[in-house]
Amino acid sequence: MTDDVGTRWHLRPARVLQVAASLVAIQLLVRTWVAARSDFYWDDLILAGRGGSLPLLSGDLLLYDHDGHLMPGAFVVAGVATRLAPYQWILPVLTMIALQAVASYAVFRLLRTLLGLRPVMLVPLALYLFSPLTVPAFAWWAAALNALPLQIGLAWVAGDAVKLCRTGRRRYAISGTLVLVASLLFFEKSVVVPFVAFATVTLLAHIDGRPRPVRSTLRRGAALWIPSAAVLAVWAAIYFSTVASRWEWAGASRAIELLHHSTSLGLLPTFVGGPWTWDRWIPSPPWATPSTALEVVGWVVLVVAVAATVRLKRRIGWVWILAAAYFLLSVTAMVVTRWGADTTYELAQTLRYFTDTAVILAIAVALIVRAPRRRTDPVRVRPPVVVAVVVAFVASSLWSTYTFTRSWEENPTTDYLATARASLADRSDAPILEQPASFWVLLPVAYPNNLVSRVLAPLRDRPAFSDSTPDLRMIDDVGRVVDAQVTWVRAIEPGPVPDCGHLVDRRSFVPIPLDGPLTGWEWTVQLNYLADADGEIAVAMEVGNPVRVPVHQGANSVFVRLTGGGRNVRVSTLTRDLSLCVGVGPVGVVVPK
């Protein structure tokens, strides 16, 4: 097929290079449009909040266990972008486009190494460039900072491995090792990079009919495999000493169902440019919802492709086996690391957990194209048919990209951040009591990263966030700073001291009884007090950690956010000779007035 197509088209290498560059340029224009229609979402706020408030080279930032991820490179990139332009989307867009450009070039470089500058090389290149499989992970900044460095590592190191085994030049071993290190800084799944590179070189040797391909690959590529093993050993020591394991087996029946959602509803429709339609429940990301007909078409395409290529080509069985094994490995990793009591099967249909399979498929197609034909095979694939299939795939993929973007651009975070930026700047005279960000921006499962003190930390013109404030205000679900009040879930009972209430004049805690018990939770106490001087007090629930609270001379109120429960509130003075009287007040939750 390779020689036949190349001869009939009479395309010189320079023209093939021009077409390849045009395809990459078109892809980057499409991806720029997708990125421009996106905005900050979920984990982006965590990366920006931590990266913008912690020192860039601190262990708290670089070695942070982000939901099982060790990704210091992503936090550094987010930290730099946030410091330069807090919550300005232009810098994330530029990083996404730059990483995508490098990934696309890395795939092109690998395919050119495997197939040369022949027209048939454009087929797997187009499959990678426009596959909807890579779109969801690209459009989400935090996911792109994981997925794109992995795609770069897969393609670049495989290309270096092939060149090293062909030429013996050590510079490819150095380049491959450095790229492996870089990809590991962004995504722990990059541990697969050297194994994919080894498999690519071994399959290439097998397809070319070389004897003992595994042994020859080990020997020829030792300059890359040995330092790669050392890098993985060091990385593993850091990862397992830093990240808490969250592996959980979903059970056989659920695992099978997740596999179905990953294949029939996830991967296979992308073989024909699907899924075409997406569903979404905000604040979740979109998930693929292909029609039953498209599911069937996806399976038919896979079966026909495997059967036809095995019949037409020699020594390609292991290509299909290892490509399938990589996908199944990705699904298994998703099942054991992301399954929980509240996990839905639609998680697999978001596609981002196996988006790197697009690179593997491009490699597989290139190896199959390179494989020799069977001598008895009279079938020839005409170039116009190949062009028509590729054009149809690209058109279908662009439609899926368009429908995804239409669903993805509905993002409450955009208005929330814009409103909060303006509203906080207008009302910066008193601290804002700590509270969770809007449910539509970050769900409570992100605690404590969903607190406004972390989400909105990068904003420069704003009040402080504190566990106490003399002026109770809150940020509502759309980002506005509004006056607030404490509900009367429980009340501080009247004290025994006439004309005072509860007298607090010593360093040890004075228990102030409530009119009923409170379960362990986050409560806000309205302390109505009369102090004889300015100073500081400590306030805590009966069971819970204390909070330092400034008080001022005279009759005042202060609102204190406490975590804990019990039948009383404990108060003590921290300033020498300070005494105050505490009166009746509510203990509850903060709501708008």
Side-chain angles (χ1 to χ4, degrees), residues 472-487:
L472 187 59
R473 297 169 296 178
M474 67 179 297
I475 303 172
D476 65 14
D477 279 347
V478 298
R480 294 173 302 187
V481 177
V482 297
D483 294 328
Q485 62 186 4
V486 179
T487 60

Side-chain angles (χ1 to χ4, degrees), residues 43 66 69-71 74 99 137 140-151 183 185-188 190:
D43 288 33
H66 179 54
H69 293 303
L70 181 62
M71 41 192 279
L99 287 171
W140 183 356
W141 187 34
L145 290 176
N146 289 157
L148 290 173
L150 172 57
Q151 294 173 32
S183 60
L185 292 177
F186 287 85
F187 195 13
E188 67 279 355
S190 296

Side-chain angles (χ1 to χ4, degrees), residues 161-243:
V162 173
K163 293 183 178 184
L164 172 65
C165 292
R166 282 180 179 174
T167 67
R169 295 177 182 173
R170 294 300 179 96
R171 64 188 179 95
Y172 295 119
I174 296 173
S175 170
T177 303
L178 292 178
V179 172
L180 170 62
V181 172
S183 60
L184 282 169
L185 292 177
F186 287 85
F187 195 13
E188 67 279 355
K189 193 179 178 181
S190 296
V191 295
V192 302
V193 164
F195 298 99
V196 170
F198 182 86
T200 301
V201 178
T202 303
L203 288 171
L204 180 63
H206 173 65
I207 285 172
D208 289 346
R210 296 175 188 168
R212 297 179 178 178
V214 175
R215 181 177 298 182
S216 67
T217 299
L218 281 171
R219 186 184 73 255
R220 292 172 178 268
L224 176 59
W225 313 137
I226 293 174
S228 294
V231 168
L232 292 184
V234 173
W235 177 89
I238 297 173
Y239 180 85
F240 288 109
S241 64
T242 304
V243 176

